[in-house]
Amino acid sequence: MSQGNKIPATVITGFLGAGKTSTIRHLLETANGKRIALVINEFGDLGVDGEIVKGCGIENCEEDAVLELPNGCICCTVADDFIPTIETLLNRAEPPDHIVIETSGLALPKPLVKAFNWPEIRTKVTVDGVITVIDGPAVAEGLFASDPAAVDAQRKADESLDHESPLEELFEEQINCADMVVINKTDLLAEAELERVLRDVKGELRPEVKIVRSSYGKVDAKVLLGLEAAAEDDLDSRPSHHDDGHEHDHDDFMSFAVDLGEVENPKALVARLLPVIARHGILRVKGFAKVAGKDMRLVLQGVGGRLQHYYDRDWQPEETQSTRLVVIGEADMDSDAIRAALASDRSASEEAGRESAAAF
């Protein structure tokens, strides 16, 4: 069937903190007036990514074009959440030219692609492509295996055993479904590291999948859109660990929100977070902060010990001006200990922040 009369949809997937939201922001900036609707899904009860996009100030990024599916995983809630959301977009008086779907960092893309074969949307929408964004430095550091050397030794000792960690399996799910892979944050990699990441990733991909390098998610819309993959018709070439019918869940991961009140400045907040991230093996931190003496909202995002922060917009009158972060990690993460550590580290971090306040 010709795809010409269908609205194209692009699925942007990738692990926690890979740079999906930054990639989408740059896509919108280079869309040249194309009407793009965004469906953003997050793992956790604070919709950070959707709020970041809504506050981006990009001309063709109206707030009513951003639909959020918070507090869950889009691959697990297709019937309840995703299908009705797509139908809402299709039933608008002026449907979008293109739909962009950002999955949560813990989502499997293949069940989502399968959903485009549902009768309600199959004749109206096609999957233009699955874009998998990869955190280059994280792959270089072996983040997707708890202990890469130990895993390799175990596999060599007994090839019949499956020693994949949840992170490694999730990484494979996301690249196995890709039509294009964006290796992001290449500015943080030495040339030798980048070549190793490119070699390792290429070895996992289907031959026809293209690899794009980027920093800060800067890949133009003309590169990401218009792949015409019709991925919903090509499911068999996209292997999954769950093709045998085993159900997928997220029991291996957890998230919770932390309220930290007002902070002295960004450096004080980073100083408070870094030791706690290191001690507790936190995978991802993201949220908004109220900085003393500032009318603007601070966005903070972090993967491991790499924390990024910037001011995006003024606080709105109806908003509570406070610091609220989402913490994501593996299921054995001790949320009580993390909250206690952040509270106890406050005095020391704020003193460090005051000493360097002039820098901000």
Side-chain angles (χ1 to χ4, degrees):
M1 171 186 272
S2 170
Q3 305 295 322
N5 60 343
K6 297 182 180 183
I7 296 175
T10 295
V11 176
I12 297 185
T13 188
F15 191 65
L16 301 162
K20 300 185 294 298
T21 303
S22 296
T23 301
I24 288 173
R25 287 185 60 168
H26 191 74
L27 184 159
L28 294 172
E29 290 171 351
T30 58
N32 293 322
K34 189 186 294 285
R35 293 194 316 277
I36 295 178
L38 302 177
V39 179
I40 297 179
N41 181 229
E42 296 193 59
F43 185 78
D45 60 0
L46 180 61
V48 176
D49 295 344
E51 278 295 312
I52 290 172
V53 173
K54 289 175 184 177
C56 66
I58 298 169
E59 182 178 351
N60 61 330
C61 177
E62 293 86 3
E63 186 163 327
D64 63 358
V66 181
L67 301 180
E68 296 177 76
L69 299 176
N71 198 28
C73 172
I74 200 170
C75 64
C76 300
T77 59
V78 165
D80 294 335
D81 296 328
F82 176 65
I83 298 297
T85 298
I86 295 298
E87 289 181 316
T88 296
L89 292 174
L90 297 177
N91 291 331
R92 287 183 171 176
E94 191 174 19
D97 298 322
H98 203 111
I99 300 170
V100 174
I101 303 159
E102 179 189 351
T103 73
S104 83
L106 302 178
L108 307 184
K110 188 169 181 177
L112 178 59
V113 174
K114 285 182 179 179
F116 285 86
N117 281 316
W118 283 50
E120 295 92 332
I121 61 174
R122 178 170 176 77
T123 60
K124 301 175 183 178
V125 187
T126 181
V127 181
D128 182 66
V130 178
I131 310 294
T132 299
V133 183
I134 291 176
D135 183 331
V139 174
E141 295 164 8
L143 176 64
F144 301 102
S146 300
D147 187 339
V151 168
D152 186 56
Q154 288 175 309
R155 284 179 177 157
K156 289 176 180 177
D158 187 351
E159 295 182 357
S160 68
L161 297 177
D162 178 5
H163 294 294
E164 292 171 319
S165 74
L167 301 183
E168 190 175 19
E169 180 178 310
L170 181 59
F171 177 66
E172 291 176 358
E173 292 279 343
Q174 292 173 344
I175 63 174
N176 284 346
C177 198
D179 295 294
M180 178 179 287
V181 167
V182 176
I183 298 181
N184 195 30
K185 308 181 187 180
T186 57
D187 55 304
L188 302 178
L189 291 172
E191 189 61 32
E193 292 176 313
L194 176 57
E195 290 302 318
R196 177 162 53 84
V197 170
L198 288 167
R199 183 177 63 252
D200 291 347
V201 170
K202 188 174 182 179
E204 298 289 337
L205 297 176
R206 295 174 294 147
E208 65 272 22
V209 177
K210 304 300 182 184
I211 297 178
V212 177
R213 311 178 192 189
S214 74
S215 298
Y216 305 101
K218 292 184 177 181
V219 183
D220 283 5
K222 63 185 178 183
V223 175
L224 299 175
L225 308 184
L227 301 184
E228 299 183 353
E232 72 275 14
D233 296 330
D234 185 33
L235 291 168
D236 289 343
S237 72
R238 303 164 191 263
S240 168
H241 291 270
H242 302 275
D243 285 336
D244 57 5
H246 287 174
E247 293 187 1
H248 159 64
D249 59 46
H250 295 296
D251 290 344
D252 296 314
F253 304 98
M254 66 175 291
S255 74
F256 61 93
V258 180
D259 294 298
L260 299 179
E262 185 177 83
V263 298
E264 287 291 317
N265 56 55
K267 184 158 286 189
L269 181 57
V270 170
R272 196 192 316 184
L273 287 168
L274 282 175
V276 181
I277 290 171
R279 287 198 301 269
H280 294 274
I282 294 170
L283 297 174
R284 181 85 164 103
V285 174
K286 58 182 179 178
F288 306 106
K290 168 59 180 174
V291 179
K294 297 288 186 180
D295 295 328
M296 297 189 74
R297 183 178 72 174
L298 185 79
V299 178
L300 183 135
Q301 300 193 71
V303 182
R306 298 195 308 277
L307 296 176
Q308 174 194 24
H309 52 79
Y310 59 89
Y311 295 101
D312 70 332
R313 64 164 174 80
D314 286 344
W315 287 99
Q316 302 302 308
E318 69 276 9
E319 293 177 320
T320 300
Q321 297 188 25
S322 185
T323 300
R324 186 169 172 83
L325 305 176
V326 172
V327 177
I328 303 174
E330 295 191 67
D332 58 356
M333 183 171 61
D334 190 335
S335 59
D336 291 338
I338 290 170
R339 286 192 174 95
L342 288 172
S344 64
D345 286 350
R346 178 167 188 165
S347 297
S349 66
E350 291 185 350
E351 179 62 30
R354 281 191 288 270
E355 292 175 358
S356 56
F360 295 90

